[in-house]
Amino acid sequence: MTFNLQPILENDLCVLYPLEEKDFDALYEAASDPKIWEQHPNKDRWKKEVFEKFFEGAIKSRGAFKIIDKQTEKVIGSTRFYDYSEADNSIFIGYTFYAVSCWGKGFNQSVKNTMLDYVFDYVSKVKFHIGSENIRSQIAISRLNAEKIDEEVVAYFGESPKLNFVYQIEKKQT
């Protein structure tokens, strides 16, 4: 089944719009704090030249979003759908980050639930790559009742491979 990997998605807190080339400066502004990347597999993404590779991968994925805070109307982060598998009836959600000012305010859970609500019309399983050192994201994904199902080395676009944990949520769990 073919479906749109970049619909406009909305919830009470924010709107997810398809990421476009023109969004680089606004997204980099949200991403330029080193604290965001402390636990991520690539800890240097706050550097502009490193973030440019991340952004290029996001655009080429054709599944990336910019996340806009409805209250401030500012870009506060990004996420994406990727690695759709018709055979496994699954897709990944990931490459997610938020400006530090948004931490602990429900944005991540709200965005993930909105994405899950949309994509479960098309797949029965959603998977997540979470960096093995990213305790913050591991805790966040467990709050959505995702289960760790595997560990694998992932080569992010233009970056060296890193160990990730694979989590999964099945449609029947939601």
Side-chain angles (χ1 to χ4, degrees):
M1 178 183 304
T2 304
F3 60 98
N4 183 359
L5 287 178
Q6 286 181 301
I8 294 172
L9 299 172
E10 186 171 356
N11 59 48
D12 292 344
L13 295 176
C14 52
V15 182
L16 283 69
Y17 290 104
L19 187 66
E20 300 176 275
E21 295 273 355
K22 67 180 182 170
D23 297 323
F24 179 83
D25 289 335
L27 191 59
Y28 179 67
E29 184 178 334
S32 61
D33 184 338
K35 187 165 183 61
I36 293 170
W37 307 103
E38 285 176 342
Q39 295 184 23
H40 277 254
N42 188 329
K43 297 171 187 351
D44 291 338
R45 282 194 191 135
W46 61 271
K47 296 177 181 175
K48 193 169 191 175
E49 66 275 10
V50 177
F51 189 77
E52 285 170 344
K53 271 286 181 216
F54 177 85
F55 187 83
E56 181 184 351
I59 293 294
K60 288 184 174 182
S61 77
R62 296 190 170 150
F65 298 90
K66 63 181 174 188
I67 304 168
I68 306 290
D69 180 336
K70 285 173 120 176
Q71 191 171 33
T72 66
E73 298 183 1
K74 289 190 172 204
V75 175
I76 58 166
S78 181
T79 191
R80 69 180 93 156
F81 290 121
Y82 65 101
D83 288 357
Y84 168 65
S85 169
E86 189 173 353
D88 189 43
N89 198 20
S90 68
I91 196 164
F92 278 82
I93 293 175
Y95 293 87
T96 306
F97 74 89
Y98 297 92
V100 175
S101 62
C102 298
W103 291 5
K105 297 182 179 172
F107 283 97
N108 187 52
Q109 190 159 5
S110 176
V111 165
K112 293 287 191 310
N113 283 329
T114 300
M115 294 174 81
L116 290 167
D117 287 347
Y118 169 74
V119 83
F120 275 140
D121 285 343
Y122 305 98
V123 299
S124 64
K125 293 178 273 195
V126 176
K127 298 179 182 182
F128 306 82
H129 286 122
I130 309 259
S132 62
E133 299 175 15
N134 194 337
I135 305 304
R136 189 180 301 117
S137 291
Q138 292 170 31
I139 291 168
I141 204 68
S142 71
R143 289 183 181 137
L144 294 172
N145 296 320
E147 295 179 26
K148 182 180 172 190
I149 60 165
D150 203 359
E151 296 183 10
E152 62 184 39
V153 174
V154 177
Y156 293 104
F157 183 87
E159 299 176 0
S160 61
K162 300 282 193 304
L163 179 63
N164 279 249
F165 298 155
V166 181
Y167 288 81
Q168 179 175 284
I169 298 174
E170 294 188 30
K171 184 176 185 173
K172 63 184 178 208
Q173 291 175 248
T174 61

PDB file of all heavy atoms in Angstrom, residues 92-125:
ATOM      1  N   PHE A  92      10.034   2.847  10.236  1.00  0.00           N
ATOM      2  CA  PHE A  92      10.748   3.449  11.359  1.00  0.00           C
ATOM      3  C   PHE A  92      10.329   4.904  11.532  1.00  0.00           C
ATOM      4  O   PHE A  92      10.033   5.597  10.552  1.00  0.00           O
ATOM      5  CB  PHE A  92      12.263   3.416  11.126  1.00  0.00           C
ATOM      6  CG  PHE A  92      12.917   2.109  11.459  1.00  0.00           C
ATOM      7  CD1 PHE A  92      12.909   1.058  10.547  1.00  0.00           C
ATOM      8  CD2 PHE A  92      13.547   1.924  12.682  1.00  0.00           C
ATOM      9  CE1 PHE A  92      13.526  -0.142  10.844  1.00  0.00           C
ATOM     10  CE2 PHE A  92      14.162   0.720  12.989  1.00  0.00           C
ATOM     11  CZ  PHE A  92      14.155  -0.319  12.075  1.00  0.00           C
ATOM     12  N   ILE A  93      10.335   5.352  12.767  1.00  0.00           N
ATOM     13  CA  ILE A  93      10.242   6.766  13.115  1.00  0.00           C
ATOM     14  C   ILE A  93      11.535   7.087  13.846  1.00  0.00           C
ATOM     15  O   ILE A  93      11.954   6.346  14.739  1.00  0.00           O
ATOM     16  CB  ILE A  93       9.048   7.064  14.045  1.00  0.00           C
ATOM     17  CG1 ILE A  93       7.719   6.845  13.313  1.00  0.00           C
ATOM     18  CG2 ILE A  93       9.123   8.501  14.582  1.00  0.00           C
ATOM     19  CD1 ILE A  93       6.485   7.000  14.219  1.00  0.00           C
ATOM     20  N   GLY A  94      12.169   8.191  13.480  1.00  0.00           N
ATOM     21  CA  GLY A  94      13.396   8.536  14.173  1.00  0.00           C
ATOM     22  C   GLY A  94      14.068   9.774  13.663  1.00  0.00           C
ATOM     23  O   GLY A  94      13.433  10.618  13.033  1.00  0.00           O
ATOM     24  N   TYR A  95      15.368   9.861  13.941  1.00  0.00           N
ATOM     25  CA  TYR A  95      16.167  11.054  13.651  1.00  0.00           C
ATOM     26  C   TYR A  95      15.520  12.272  14.308  1.00  0.00           C
ATOM     27  O   TYR A  95      15.527  13.368  13.769  1.00  0.00           O
ATOM     28  CB  TYR A  95      16.299  11.280  12.147  1.00  0.00           C
ATOM     29  CG  TYR A  95      17.107  10.233  11.414  1.00  0.00           C
ATOM     30  CD1 TYR A  95      16.513   9.073  10.941  1.00  0.00           C
ATOM     31  CD2 TYR A  95      18.464  10.420  11.196  1.00  0.00           C
ATOM     32  CE1 TYR A  95      17.254   8.117  10.262  1.00  0.00           C
ATOM     33  CE2 TYR A  95      19.210   9.472  10.510  1.00  0.00           C
ATOM     34  CZ  TYR A  95      18.591   8.326  10.053  1.00  0.00           C
ATOM     35  OH  TYR A  95      19.325   7.386   9.380  1.00  0.00           O
ATOM     36  N   THR A  96      14.952  12.058  15.465  1.00  0.00           N
ATOM     37  CA  THR A  96      14.162  13.081  16.148  1.00  0.00           C
ATOM     38  C   THR A  96      15.025  13.883  17.108  1.00  0.00           C
ATOM     39  O   THR A  96      15.831  13.326  17.835  1.00  0.00           O
ATOM     40  CB  THR A  96      13.016  12.415  16.942  1.00  0.00           C
ATOM     41  OG1 THR A  96      12.268  11.567  16.053  1.00  0.00           O
ATOM     42  CG2 THR A  96      12.091  13.453  17.559  1.00  0.00           C
ATOM     43  N   PHE A  97      14.834  15.182  17.092  1.00  0.00           N
ATOM     44  CA  PHE A  97      15.442  16.043  18.101  1.00  0.00           C
ATOM     45  C   PHE A  97      14.545  17.244  18.338  1.00  0.00           C
ATOM     46  O   PHE A  97      13.739  17.614  17.491  1.00  0.00           O
ATOM     47  CB  PHE A  97      16.860  16.493  17.704  1.00  0.00           C
ATOM     48  CG  PHE A  97      16.884  17.526  16.622  1.00  0.00           C
ATOM     49  CD1 PHE A  97      16.826  18.884  16.931  1.00  0.00           C
ATOM     50  CD2 PHE A  97      16.955  17.156  15.293  1.00  0.00           C
ATOM     51  CE1 PHE A  97      16.833  19.842  15.938  1.00  0.00           C
ATOM     52  CE2 PHE A  97      16.964  18.107  14.293  1.00  0.00           C
ATOM     53  CZ  PHE A  97      16.903  19.457  14.608  1.00  0.00           C
ATOM     54  N   TYR A  98      14.696  17.820  19.528  1.00  0.00           N
ATOM     55  CA  TYR A  98      13.944  19.012  19.923  1.00  0.00           C
ATOM     56  C   TYR A  98      14.878  20.024  20.557  1.00  0.00           C
ATOM     57  O   TYR A  98      15.840  19.638  21.241  1.00  0.00           O
ATOM     58  CB  TYR A  98      12.864  18.658  20.965  1.00  0.00           C
ATOM     59  CG  TYR A  98      11.827  17.718  20.440  1.00  0.00           C
ATOM     60  CD1 TYR A  98      11.970  16.345  20.597  1.00  0.00           C
ATOM     61  CD2 TYR A  98      10.712  18.187  19.767  1.00  0.00           C
ATOM     62  CE1 TYR A  98      11.031  15.461  20.096  1.00  0.00           C
ATOM     63  CE2 TYR A  98       9.766  17.309  19.264  1.00  0.00           C
ATOM     64  CZ  TYR A  98       9.929  15.957  19.427  1.00  0.00           C
ATOM     65  OH  TYR A  98       9.004  15.090  18.920  1.00  0.00           O
ATOM     66  N   ALA A  99      14.568  21.302  20.392  1.00  0.00           N
ATOM     67  CA  ALA A  99      15.282  22.353  21.102  1.00  0.00           C
ATOM     68  C   ALA A  99      15.149  22.094  22.598  1.00  0.00           C
ATOM     69  O   ALA A  99      14.104  21.624  23.070  1.00  0.00           O
ATOM     70  CB  ALA A  99      14.706  23.720  20.739  1.00  0.00           C
ATOM     71  N   VAL A 100      16.194  22.386  23.348  1.00  0.00           N
ATOM     72  CA  VAL A 100      16.206  22.145  24.790  1.00  0.00           C
ATOM     73  C   VAL A 100      15.023  22.839  25.474  1.00  0.00           C
ATOM     74  O   VAL A 100      14.455  22.311  26.430  1.00  0.00           O
ATOM     75  CB  VAL A 100      17.552  22.603  25.407  1.00  0.00           C
ATOM     76  CG1 VAL A 100      17.539  22.485  26.922  1.00  0.00           C
ATOM     77  CG2 VAL A 100      18.695  21.778  24.827  1.00  0.00           C
ATOM     78  N   SER A 101      14.622  23.994  24.971  1.00  0.00           N
ATOM     79  CA  SER A 101      13.500  24.736  25.568  1.00  0.00           C
ATOM     80  C   SER A 101      12.193  23.948  25.538  1.00  0.00           C
ATOM     81  O   SER A 101      11.251  24.280  26.257  1.00  0.00           O
ATOM     82  CB  SER A 101      13.314  26.078  24.856  1.00  0.00           C
ATOM     83  OG  SER A 101      12.992  25.868  23.489  1.00  0.00           O
ATOM     84  N   CYS A 102      12.133  22.886  24.749  1.00  0.00           N
ATOM     85  CA  CYS A 102      10.909  22.073  24.622  1.00  0.00           C
ATOM     86  C   CYS A 102      10.947  20.808  25.469  1.00  0.00           C
ATOM     87  O   CYS A 102       9.939  20.106  25.570  1.00  0.00           O
ATOM     88  CB  CYS A 102      10.708  21.683  23.161  1.00  0.00           C
ATOM     89  SG  CYS A 102      10.479  23.095  22.100  1.00  0.00           S
ATOM     90  N   TRP A 103      12.078  20.510  26.048  1.00  0.00           N
ATOM     91  CA  TRP A 103      12.213  19.272  26.817  1.00  0.00           C
ATOM     92  C   TRP A 103      11.289  19.284  28.028  1.00  0.00           C
ATOM     93  O   TRP A 103      11.109  20.304  28.690  1.00  0.00           O
ATOM     94  CB  TRP A 103      13.646  19.083  27.273  1.00  0.00           C
ATOM     95  CG  TRP A 103      14.620  18.794  26.157  1.00  0.00           C
ATOM     96  CD1 TRP A 103      14.369  18.783  24.815  1.00  0.00           C
ATOM     97  CD2 TRP A 103      16.001  18.509  26.298  1.00  0.00           C
ATOM     98  NE1 TRP A 103      15.506  18.497  24.116  1.00  0.00           N
ATOM     99  CE2 TRP A 103      16.535  18.324  24.997  1.00  0.00           C
ATOM    100  CE3 TRP A 103      16.848  18.386  27.384  1.00  0.00           C
ATOM    101  CZ2 TRP A 103      17.867  18.015  24.771  1.00  0.00           C
ATOM    102  CZ3 TRP A 103      18.188  18.076  27.163  1.00  0.00           C
ATOM    103  CH2 TRP A 103      18.685  17.894  25.867  1.00  0.00           C
ATOM    104  N   GLY A 104      10.709  18.129  28.291  1.00  0.00           N
ATOM    105  CA  GLY A 104       9.869  17.962  29.476  1.00  0.00           C
ATOM    106  C   GLY A 104       8.514  18.630  29.391  1.00  0.00           C
ATOM    107  O   GLY A 104       7.821  18.763  30.398  1.00  0.00           O
ATOM    108  N   LYS A 105       8.109  19.028  28.184  1.00  0.00           N
ATOM    109  CA  LYS A 105       6.833  19.741  28.020  1.00  0.00           C
ATOM    110  C   LYS A 105       5.819  18.955  27.205  1.00  0.00           C
ATOM    111  O   LYS A 105       4.808  19.485  26.784  1.00  0.00           O
ATOM    112  CB  LYS A 105       7.086  21.110  27.385  1.00  0.00           C
ATOM    113  CG  LYS A 105       7.939  21.994  28.289  1.00  0.00           C
ATOM    114  CD  LYS A 105       8.157  23.352  27.703  1.00  0.00           C
ATOM    115  CE  LYS A 105       9.003  24.179  28.670  1.00  0.00           C
ATOM    116  NZ  LYS A 105       9.409  25.444  28.083  1.00  0.00           N
ATOM    117  N   GLY A 106       6.115  17.674  26.956  1.00  0.00           N
ATOM    118  CA  GLY A 106       5.164  16.805  26.270  1.00  0.00           C
ATOM    119  C   GLY A 106       5.253  16.796  24.756  1.00  0.00           C
ATOM    120  O   GLY A 106       4.465  16.106  24.103  1.00  0.00           O
ATOM    121  N   PHE A 107       6.190  17.540  24.186  1.00  0.00           N
ATOM    122  CA  PHE A 107       6.271  17.593  22.724  1.00  0.00           C
ATOM    123  C   PHE A 107       6.600  16.231  22.119  1.00  0.00           C
ATOM    124  O   PHE A 107       5.966  15.810  21.153  1.00  0.00           O
ATOM    125  CB  PHE A 107       7.315  18.623  22.269  1.00  0.00           C
ATOM    126  CG  PHE A 107       6.843  20.037  22.361  1.00  0.00           C
ATOM    127  CD1 PHE A 107       7.166  20.812  23.458  1.00  0.00           C
ATOM    128  CD2 PHE A 107       6.058  20.590  21.361  1.00  0.00           C
ATOM    129  CE1 PHE A 107       6.727  22.127  23.558  1.00  0.00           C
ATOM    130  CE2 PHE A 107       5.609  21.895  21.444  1.00  0.00           C
ATOM    131  CZ  PHE A 107       5.939  22.671  22.551  1.00  0.00           C
ATOM    132  N   ASN A 108       7.598  15.540  22.652  1.00  0.00           N
ATOM    133  CA  ASN A 108       8.006  14.270  22.059  1.00  0.00           C
ATOM    134  C   ASN A 108       6.864  13.255  22.068  1.00  0.00           C
ATOM    135  O   ASN A 108       6.557  12.652  21.039  1.00  0.00           O
ATOM    136  CB  ASN A 108       9.235  13.707  22.772  1.00  0.00           C
ATOM    137  CG  ASN A 108       9.772  12.483  22.069  1.00  0.00           C
ATOM    138  OD1 ASN A 108      10.013  12.497  20.872  1.00  0.00           O
ATOM    139  ND2 ASN A 108       9.966  11.413  22.819  1.00  0.00           N
ATOM    140  N   GLN A 109       6.240  13.080  23.197  1.00  0.00           N
ATOM    141  CA  GLN A 109       5.148  12.107  23.277  1.00  0.00           C
ATOM    142  C   GLN A 109       3.993  12.513  22.362  1.00  0.00           C
ATOM    143  O   GLN A 109       3.410  11.679  21.670  1.00  0.00           O
ATOM    144  CB  GLN A 109       4.667  11.959  24.718  1.00  0.00           C
ATOM    145  CG  GLN A 109       3.715  10.789  24.873  1.00  0.00           C
ATOM    146  CD  GLN A 109       3.613  10.308  26.307  1.00  0.00           C
ATOM    147  OE1 GLN A 109       4.172  10.881  27.227  1.00  0.00           O
ATOM    148  NE2 GLN A 109       2.903   9.229  26.499  1.00  0.00           N
ATOM    149  N   SER A 110       3.686  13.788  22.330  1.00  0.00           N
ATOM    150  CA  SER A 110       2.605  14.286  21.481  1.00  0.00           C
ATOM    151  C   SER A 110       2.902  14.038  19.991  1.00  0.00           C
ATOM    152  O   SER A 110       2.041  13.566  19.240  1.00  0.00           O
ATOM    153  CB  SER A 110       2.423  15.786  21.758  1.00  0.00           C
ATOM    154  OG  SER A 110       1.471  16.339  20.913  1.00  0.00           O
ATOM    155  N   VAL A 111       4.134  14.341  19.577  1.00  0.00           N
ATOM    156  CA  VAL A 111       4.524  14.139  18.181  1.00  0.00           C
ATOM    157  C   VAL A 111       4.512  12.650  17.827  1.00  0.00           C
ATOM    158  O   VAL A 111       3.964  12.246  16.794  1.00  0.00           O
ATOM    159  CB  VAL A 111       5.908  14.767  17.897  1.00  0.00           C
ATOM    160  CG1 VAL A 111       6.499  14.261  16.581  1.00  0.00           C
ATOM    161  CG2 VAL A 111       5.794  16.282  17.884  1.00  0.00           C
ATOM    162  N   LYS A 112       5.119  11.819  18.693  1.00  0.00           N
ATOM    163  CA  LYS A 112       5.160  10.383  18.405  1.00  0.00           C
ATOM    164  C   LYS A 112       3.747   9.801  18.311  1.00  0.00           C
ATOM    165  O   LYS A 112       3.457   9.018  17.402  1.00  0.00           O
ATOM    166  CB  LYS A 112       5.964   9.637  19.473  1.00  0.00           C
ATOM    167  CG  LYS A 112       7.453   9.955  19.500  1.00  0.00           C
ATOM    168  CD  LYS A 112       8.197   9.348  18.355  1.00  0.00           C
ATOM    169  CE  LYS A 112       9.705   9.401  18.473  1.00  0.00           C
ATOM    170  NZ  LYS A 112      10.324  10.650  18.790  1.00  0.00           N
ATOM    171  N   ASN A 113       2.862  10.185  19.228  1.00  0.00           N
ATOM    172  CA  ASN A 113       1.486   9.674  19.177  1.00  0.00           C
ATOM    173  C   ASN A 113       0.768  10.115  17.905  1.00  0.00           C
ATOM    174  O   ASN A 113       0.030   9.328  17.301  1.00  0.00           O
ATOM    175  CB  ASN A 113       0.702  10.102  20.416  1.00  0.00           C
ATOM    176  CG  ASN A 113       1.054   9.275  21.633  1.00  0.00           C
ATOM    177  OD1 ASN A 113       1.406   8.105  21.535  1.00  0.00           O
ATOM    178  ND2 ASN A 113       0.972   9.887  22.802  1.00  0.00           N
ATOM    179  N   THR A 114       0.997  11.335  17.472  1.00  0.00           N
ATOM    180  CA  THR A 114       0.388  11.831  16.237  1.00  0.00           C
ATOM    181  C   THR A 114       0.898  11.051  15.031  1.00  0.00           C
ATOM    182  O   THR A 114       0.119  10.659  14.154  1.00  0.00           O
ATOM    183  CB  THR A 114       0.671  13.340  16.072  1.00  0.00           C
ATOM    184  OG1 THR A 114       0.114  14.032  17.196  1.00  0.00           O
ATOM    185  CG2 THR A 114       0.071  13.890  14.792  1.00  0.00           C
ATOM    186  N   MET A 115       2.204  10.800  14.999  1.00  0.00           N
ATOM    187  CA  MET A 115       2.787  10.026  13.900  1.00  0.00           C
ATOM    188  C   MET A 115       2.279   8.589  13.920  1.00  0.00           C
ATOM    189  O   MET A 115       1.957   8.020  12.865  1.00  0.00           O
ATOM    190  CB  MET A 115       4.312  10.076  13.970  1.00  0.00           C
ATOM    191  CG  MET A 115       4.880  11.465  13.720  1.00  0.00           C
ATOM    192  SD  MET A 115       6.668  11.548  13.964  1.00  0.00           S
ATOM    193  CE  MET A 115       7.242  10.873  12.387  1.00  0.00           C
ATOM    194  N   LEU A 116       2.216   7.988  15.104  1.00  0.00           N
ATOM    195  CA  LEU A 116       1.717   6.621  15.220  1.00  0.00           C
ATOM    196  C   LEU A 116       0.257   6.527  14.779  1.00  0.00           C
ATOM    197  O   LEU A 116      -0.115   5.609  14.035  1.00  0.00           O
ATOM    198  CB  LEU A 116       1.863   6.117  16.658  1.00  0.00           C
ATOM    199  CG  LEU A 116       3.287   5.846  17.135  1.00  0.00           C
ATOM    200  CD1 LEU A 116       3.318   5.672  18.652  1.00  0.00           C
ATOM    201  CD2 LEU A 116       3.886   4.640  16.443  1.00  0.00           C
ATOM    202  N   ASP A 117      -0.567   7.463  15.220  1.00  0.00           N
ATOM    203  CA  ASP A 117      -1.981   7.464  14.814  1.00  0.00           C
ATOM    204  C   ASP A 117      -2.113   7.480  13.300  1.00  0.00           C
ATOM    205  O   ASP A 117      -2.954   6.784  12.730  1.00  0.00           O
ATOM    206  CB  ASP A 117      -2.722   8.668  15.409  1.00  0.00           C
ATOM    207  CG  ASP A 117      -2.978   8.542  16.896  1.00  0.00           C
ATOM    208  OD1 ASP A 117      -2.817   7.436  17.454  1.00  0.00           O
ATOM    209  OD2 ASP A 117      -3.326   9.577  17.516  1.00  0.00           O
ATOM    210  N   TYR A 118      -1.294   8.282  12.643  1.00  0.00           N
ATOM    211  CA  TYR A 118      -1.339   8.369  11.184  1.00  0.00           C
ATOM    212  C   TYR A 118      -0.849   7.074  10.529  1.00  0.00           C
ATOM    213  O   TYR A 118      -1.529   6.481   9.694  1.00  0.00           O
ATOM    214  CB  TYR A 118      -0.489   9.548  10.694  1.00  0.00           C
ATOM    215  CG  TYR A 118      -0.280   9.525   9.194  1.00  0.00           C
ATOM    216  CD1 TYR A 118      -1.319   9.864   8.330  1.00  0.00           C
ATOM    217  CD2 TYR A 118       0.932   9.123   8.641  1.00  0.00           C
ATOM    218  CE1 TYR A 118      -1.145   9.818   6.951  1.00  0.00           C
ATOM    219  CE2 TYR A 118       1.110   9.066   7.272  1.00  0.00           C
ATOM    220  CZ  TYR A 118       0.077   9.412   6.431  1.00  0.00           C
ATOM    221  OH  TYR A 118       0.247   9.354   5.068  1.00  0.00           O
ATOM    222  N   VAL A 119       0.331   6.624  10.914  1.00  0.00           N
ATOM    223  CA  VAL A 119       0.983   5.546  10.178  1.00  0.00           C
ATOM    224  C   VAL A 119       0.366   4.171  10.455  1.00  0.00           C
ATOM    225  O   VAL A 119       0.472   3.269   9.617  1.00  0.00           O
ATOM    226  CB  VAL A 119       2.508   5.584  10.405  1.00  0.00           C
ATOM    227  CG1 VAL A 119       2.917   4.899  11.690  1.00  0.00           C
ATOM    228  CG2 VAL A 119       3.253   5.018   9.210  1.00  0.00           C
ATOM    229  N   PHE A 120      -0.309   4.012  11.590  1.00  0.00           N
ATOM    230  CA  PHE A 120      -0.950   2.719  11.850  1.00  0.00           C
ATOM    231  C   PHE A 120      -2.146   2.449  10.941  1.00  0.00           C
ATOM    232  O   PHE A 120      -2.678   1.346  10.932  1.00  0.00           O
ATOM    233  CB  PHE A 120      -1.325   2.566  13.325  1.00  0.00           C
ATOM    234  CG  PHE A 120      -0.203   2.054  14.182  1.00  0.00           C
ATOM    235  CD1 PHE A 120       0.003   2.572  15.445  1.00  0.00           C
ATOM    236  CD2 PHE A 120       0.640   1.041  13.744  1.00  0.00           C
ATOM    237  CE1 PHE A 120       1.036   2.095  16.250  1.00  0.00           C
ATOM    238  CE2 PHE A 120       1.670   0.558  14.534  1.00  0.00           C
ATOM    239  CZ  PHE A 120       1.870   1.092  15.784  1.00  0.00           C
ATOM    240  N   ASP A 121      -2.533   3.410  10.132  1.00  0.00           N
ATOM    241  CA  ASP A 121      -3.521   3.138   9.076  1.00  0.00           C
ATOM    242  C   ASP A 121      -2.884   2.363   7.924  1.00  0.00           C
ATOM    243  O   ASP A 121      -3.583   1.842   7.063  1.00  0.00           O
ATOM    244  CB  ASP A 121      -4.115   4.442   8.540  1.00  0.00           C
ATOM    245  CG  ASP A 121      -5.116   5.065   9.489  1.00  0.00           C
ATOM    246  OD1 ASP A 121      -5.611   4.373  10.412  1.00  0.00           O
ATOM    247  OD2 ASP A 121      -5.411   6.265   9.324  1.00  0.00           O
ATOM    248  N   TYR A 122      -1.540   2.293   7.906  1.00  0.00           N
ATOM    249  CA  TYR A 122      -0.822   1.705   6.772  1.00  0.00           C
ATOM    250  C   TYR A 122       0.101   0.543   7.135  1.00  0.00           C
ATOM    251  O   TYR A 122       0.433  -0.258   6.272  1.00  0.00           O
ATOM    252  CB  TYR A 122      -0.002   2.789   6.065  1.00  0.00           C
ATOM    253  CG  TYR A 122      -0.846   3.968   5.655  1.00  0.00           C
ATOM    254  CD1 TYR A 122      -0.892   5.110   6.450  1.00  0.00           C
ATOM    255  CD2 TYR A 122      -1.640   3.916   4.514  1.00  0.00           C
ATOM    256  CE1 TYR A 122      -1.688   6.188   6.089  1.00  0.00           C
ATOM    257  CE2 TYR A 122      -2.443   4.988   4.148  1.00  0.00           C
ATOM    258  CZ  TYR A 122      -2.455   6.111   4.947  1.00  0.00           C
ATOM    259  OH  TYR A 122      -3.257   7.177   4.603  1.00  0.00           O
ATOM    260  N   VAL A 123       0.555   0.483   8.377  1.00  0.00           N
ATOM    261  CA  VAL A 123       1.475  -0.569   8.800  1.00  0.00           C
ATOM    262  C   VAL A 123       1.007  -1.151  10.136  1.00  0.00           C
ATOM    263  O   VAL A 123       0.222  -0.536  10.848  1.00  0.00           O
ATOM    264  CB  VAL A 123       2.938  -0.065   8.943  1.00  0.00           C
ATOM    265  CG1 VAL A 123       3.479   0.449   7.614  1.00  0.00           C
ATOM    266  CG2 VAL A 123       3.057   0.989  10.024  1.00  0.00           C
ATOM    267  N   SER A 124       1.531  -2.331  10.467  1.00  0.00           N
ATOM    268  CA  SER A 124       1.155  -2.942  11.745  1.00  0.00           C
ATOM    269  C   SER A 124       2.244  -2.806  12.815  1.00  0.00           C
ATOM    270  O   SER A 124       1.994  -3.076  13.980  1.00  0.00           O
ATOM    271  CB  SER A 124       0.824  -4.423  11.547  1.00  0.00           C
ATOM    272  OG  SER A 124       1.970  -5.125  11.113  1.00  0.00           O
ATOM    273  N   LYS A 125       3.463  -2.390  12.394  1.00  0.00           N
ATOM    274  CA  LYS A 125       4.568  -2.239  13.345  1.00  0.00           C
ATOM    275  C   LYS A 125       5.336  -0.952  13.047  1.00  0.00           C
ATOM    276  O   LYS A 125       5.597  -0.633  11.876  1.00  0.00           O
ATOM    277  CB  LYS A 125       5.555  -3.402  13.224  1.00  0.00           C
ATOM    278  CG  LYS A 125       5.002  -4.743  13.645  1.00  0.00           C
ATOM    279  CD  LYS A 125       6.030  -5.833  13.440  1.00  0.00           C
ATOM    280  CE  LYS A 125       5.902  -6.318  12.015  1.00  0.00           C
ATOM    281  NZ  LYS A 125       6.556  -7.574  11.723  1.00  0.00           N
TER     282      LYS A 125
END
